[in-house]
Each structure stands twice: as structure tokens, then as C-alpha cells.
Amino acid sequence: MDTWIRKLTASPEDEDIYIQAAQIICRGGLVAFPTETVYGLGADGMSEDAAGKIYAAKGRPSDNPLILHIADREGLDRIADKVTEKAEKLMQSFWPGPLTLIFEKKKEVPYCVTGGLETVAVRMPSHPAARELIRKSQTAIAAPSANVSGRPSPTRAEHVIEDMAGRIDMLIDGGSVGIGLESTIVDMTVDPPMLLRPGYVTVPMLEQVVGELQMDPSLMEEAAPDVKPKAPGMKYRHYAPKAELTIVEGELAEAAEEIARLAEEKRRQGYRTGIIATEETRRFYHEEDVRVIGTRQDEETIARHLFAVLREFDELGTQYIFSEAFSQQDLGQAIMNRLIKAAGHQIIRL
Ligand code: TXA
Ligand code: MG
């Protein structure tokens, strides 16, 4: 199939793009669209047939459920049961935004969307394009990240084109996304609520609103990589670049020196090597393929560029990537969660 690409221009002409996209969704087609976290691959989430196409387009295992995206509170009432007081508080604080909540599903939600589970993941995105598409489609839009299963999530329209051209009906190009990591996921069917996937909304932010949280055991460092996570998608090798990625954790200067040494060793053996660095450590490396992903003074810059840098190394044909580690506090928890998965748990601790 031909993938129709339309670029948003922040002008009245965008209206036509949303109308066309909503028609495709209502006819059971696939439309990729920007959200504040990463690009999503959308289909009508209330239709078994439409949502089923997502799995084929991504090459995604059928037991890995999808998030339903809604634009307003009525959208939630159509799909979710037993919305607790704590859930109400979280929605009030963080919706619309990068937070996904797990509820018991209503029977109208097809099992194809929930991977056979009795629960459903719901998110109300804040990105204006996502909101407009959902509103015009008048349904809940099922949307995983718009990457081929296992690859880093797309943070720019070009990434979606790389992975999805020819597999989807339409792409709404809204430029680069703001956050760059997927939403935080919290299971509200248990008490205390349980963090399943760390994201931009951090544990301290959540705990300030609802008190104590439990952590999915698979998120604990000691538990990985064999403990089975509650979010099925967290069990797969993920975000993985084609290169072998190794994280080196330790005091900053010491880690940087070790990274420089390891990279040089591989380079001498004739491999193409890359380094993921930060502004604070750039000066330690003299290698050609060094990518500064942001500054440690502002971890949001690191979150925003991580996936794009992994994809860039793929394009360069990099064979070995070495990355510095980040603190596991606040947003660092989400950054390290993705980085550790991308590395297949390969970490050198100095
Ligand atoms: O930021 C995001 O959440 C992006 C944008 C597009 O909204 N979407 C996204 O979707 O990251 P995806 O499919 O790549 O990740 C969804 C995760 C998977 O790990 C899946 O297993 C988990 O959510 N999930 C979905 N439904 C669930 C459920 N009922 N119980 C537990 N985990 C669930
Ligand atoms: Mg994904």
C-alpha cells in the first residue's frame, strides 16, 4: 500500500488533514500520528479487525496489548470499569499528558486490543494533533509506538517513514516530539497502584498525588532480566539498535576513560564504534562517532534524544556502541530503563 504523508503547518489547512485521517481510522485503516511522548500507530480501538492490523504492521506479538487513547472523560467511561478515587486524582493531575493508567476493561473493548487480558491501558494525550485526531474519529484510538517491534520508538516523522512506509495508510507529520520516551504506566487495578513502566511522570510526582506506589518486581535492578513483568511489552528485547550496546557505569571521568578505551580497542580491531556522551563528558572522547545526547544538568534533553541517537547509529552502520550511565532518580529512572533494555542488560559496573 502507499503511505500518504501529510505535514502539519499550524494553519487552517490542518483541518483537512485531520478529516482525512479520521476517515481512514473510521474505515478501519492505520494512521501514524505525533503525541507528546513518541509517534503512535493508530487504529480504531473498538474494532477487532482494525486493531488487529496494528500487530501485523509492527510485527508485534499478539499477547502484547495496546494503549487506548481518548480525548475526554466520556471516552474513559466507555472503556474502563472501577475507576478508583486514586485514579481520579492521577487523571486530574496528569491528564491530558504522558501517563497511562490500567483499569478493568468494559466488555466493549475487544480482546485483541488487550492481548486477551481483562484489563485495558488508557491514556489521554496532550499533543494537539493526537487530540484532534481522536475527537474527529469519535472512537478510542488504539496506538502502540509507531516502530517495527523491537526497534527504538520514533520521535520524528522520518523514523516512522523508515519503519512503516508501505505498511500504513497515512502519516501525520508533526515534526519532532517533545518528550521522547513513552508514557509512564501505572496499574490502578491494585492497591497501592503499581508502576509498570517508568516515564516522564516520575515516581515522586505520582507519590505526591496518591501516596505510596508499588514497583513491578521486574523493574528492580536485582530482578532483571528473568522476572516476568506485568506489562507484557516490557518482557521483549526492545529499543534495540543493530549494534551491540554496552553501558559503562561509574564515577563520570573514570567511566568516560573506560568507554574511550573500550571503543578504541574495538576500533583497532576494525569495527565501527560509537559513543553516547553528554556535554559534561564530550572532552574525554576523540573518536569520530561521538553523539552528545544532552546535558546532565537537564535530563529532559537526554530523554528527548536517546531514541534518535540509537537510530542514527544504525544508519551509520555502527557495530559497537558504548554509553555512559545516568542516575536512576526521577526522569533518570525512565532513561536508564530504556537504555538497559536497548543494551540487553549489558552493563559494566566499575
Ligand atoms: O507514550 C506512549 O505510551 C506511546 C504513545 C503512542 O502513546 N505508546 C506506547 O505504546 O508506548 P506501546 O504499545 O509501545 O507500549 C504499551 C505498553 C506495552 O508494554 C504493553 O505491554 C503495556 O503497555 N500494556 C498495554 N495494555 C496493558 C495491560 N492491560 N496491562 C499491562 N500492560 C499493558
Ligand atoms: Mg513500543
Side-chain angles (χ1 to χ4, degrees):
M1 83 176 59
D2 280 341
T3 299
W4 189 35
I5 301 168
R6 297 283 310 264
K7 201 177 171 69
L8 295 172
T9 55
S11 72
E13 282 160 40
D14 288 352
E15 179 74 4
D16 178 59
I17 298 179
Y18 295 125
I19 292 172
Q20 305 278 354
Q23 278 173 5
I24 292 173
I25 295 282
C26 296
R27 285 201 317 263
L30 299 178
V31 177
F33 61 96
T35 82
E36 68 276 24
T37 56
V38 299
Y39 272 78
L41 172 49
D44 182 352
M46 303 308 276
S47 153
E48 183 103 41
D49 283 351
K53 291 180 190 167
I54 289 176
Y55 293 89
K58 276 185 64 101
R60 182 179 176 111
S62 62
D63 70 343
N64 187 4
L66 309 173
I67 297 173
L68 285 183
H69 295 68
I70 57 174
D72 49 38
R73 181 52 205 259
E74 291 74 63
L76 179 72
D77 296 332
R78 281 198 289 271
I79 56 183
D81 250 340
K82 303 210 183 127
V83 176
T84 61
E85 198 148 313
K86 285 185 182 176
E88 296 285 0
K89 285 188 182 161
L90 287 177
M91 293 187 291
Q92 217 153 51
S93 300
F94 302 111
W95 277 9
L99 175 67
T100 296
L101 300 176
I102 310 279
F103 297 105
E104 288 182 23
K105 83 175 197 68
K106 286 220 164 111
K107 65 176 186 317
E108 288 78 8
V109 178
Y111 281 110
C112 152
V113 165
T114 69
L117 298 174
E118 294 300 334
T119 55
V120 62
V122 188
R123 176 159 112 77
M124 188 189 289
S126 62
H127 194 292
R131 294 176 67 73
E132 200 48 39
L133 177 64
I134 300 163
R135 266 198 230 102
K136 285 228 164 28
S137 304
Q138 296 189 312
T139 184
I141 294 189
S145 47
N147 50 285
V148 165
S149 199
R151 294 208 71 203
S153 298
T155 55
R156 299 205 303 249
E158 294 75 27
H159 300 159
V160 181
I161 295 170
E162 253 168 48
D163 280 19
M164 290 295 155
R167 301 183 188 212
I168 59 176
D169 298 285
M170 182 175 178
L171 161 64
I172 301 177
D173 177 351
S176 294
V177 302
I179 292 176
L181 298 179
E182 308 85 346
S183 61
T184 306
I185 304 181
V186 181
D187 184 353
M188 302 308 297
T189 67
V190 292
D191 195 51
M194 184 186 283
L195 180 77
L196 304 189
R197 180 173 75 182
Y200 184 84
V201 179
T202 63
V203 170
M205 287 161 75
L206 294 162
E207 287 190 331
Q208 204 175 18
V209 177
V210 288
E212 191 203 346
L213 279 193
Q214 341 176 30
M215 300 296 130
D216 184 303
S218 74
L219 293 177
M220 307 302 198
E221 238 179 299
E222 323 78 69
D226 349 285
V227 177
K228 191 168 161 235
K230 203 167 171 186
M234 298 286 280
K235 78 184 174 210
Y236 302 105
R237 180 165 150 85
H238 222 171
Y239 318 116
K242 290 168 191 152
E244 191 174 309
L245 168 61
T246 304
I247 303 167
V248 180
E249 192 173 74
E251 186 272 317
L252 214 50
E254 209 184 324
E257 275 164 26
E258 180 64 5
I259 287 172
R261 193 187 67 74
L262 289 167
E264 182 175 354
E265 192 174 281
K266 286 292 177 198
R267 194 156 29 99
R268 288 235 174 106
Q269 293 167 15
Y271 295 108
R272 181 141 194 182
T273 59
I275 291 173
I276 297 180
T278 47
E279 277 173 24
E280 289 74 15
T281 52
R282 177 69 185 85
R283 67 197 156 89
F284 288 98
Y285 309 115
H286 309 286
E287 178 96 3
E288 78 269 39
D289 293 339
V290 180
R291 291 295 175 275
V292 172
I293 57 168
T295 165
R296 290 171 184 275
Q297 303 304 314
D298 176 7
E299 286 191 319
E300 292 191 16
T301 60
I302 294 168
R304 197 174 302 138
H305 299 126
L306 177 63
F307 289 147
V309 164
L310 292 176
R311 281 179 178 261
E312 199 183 331
F313 280 127
D314 276 357
E315 296 219 326
L316 289 171
T318 306
Q319 292 158 296
Y320 288 90
I321 305 171
F322 298 93
S323 177
E324 297 169 6
F326 300 94
S327 92
Q328 302 255 17
Q329 298 302 304
D330 303 324
L331 186 54
Q333 187 187 8
I335 294 169
M336 280 304 281
N337 173 270
R338 307 308 192 275
L339 193 59
I340 288 170
K341 279 178 194 296
H345 292 272
Q346 194 152 255
I347 310 178
I348 296 172
R349 294 196 167 85
L350 299 177

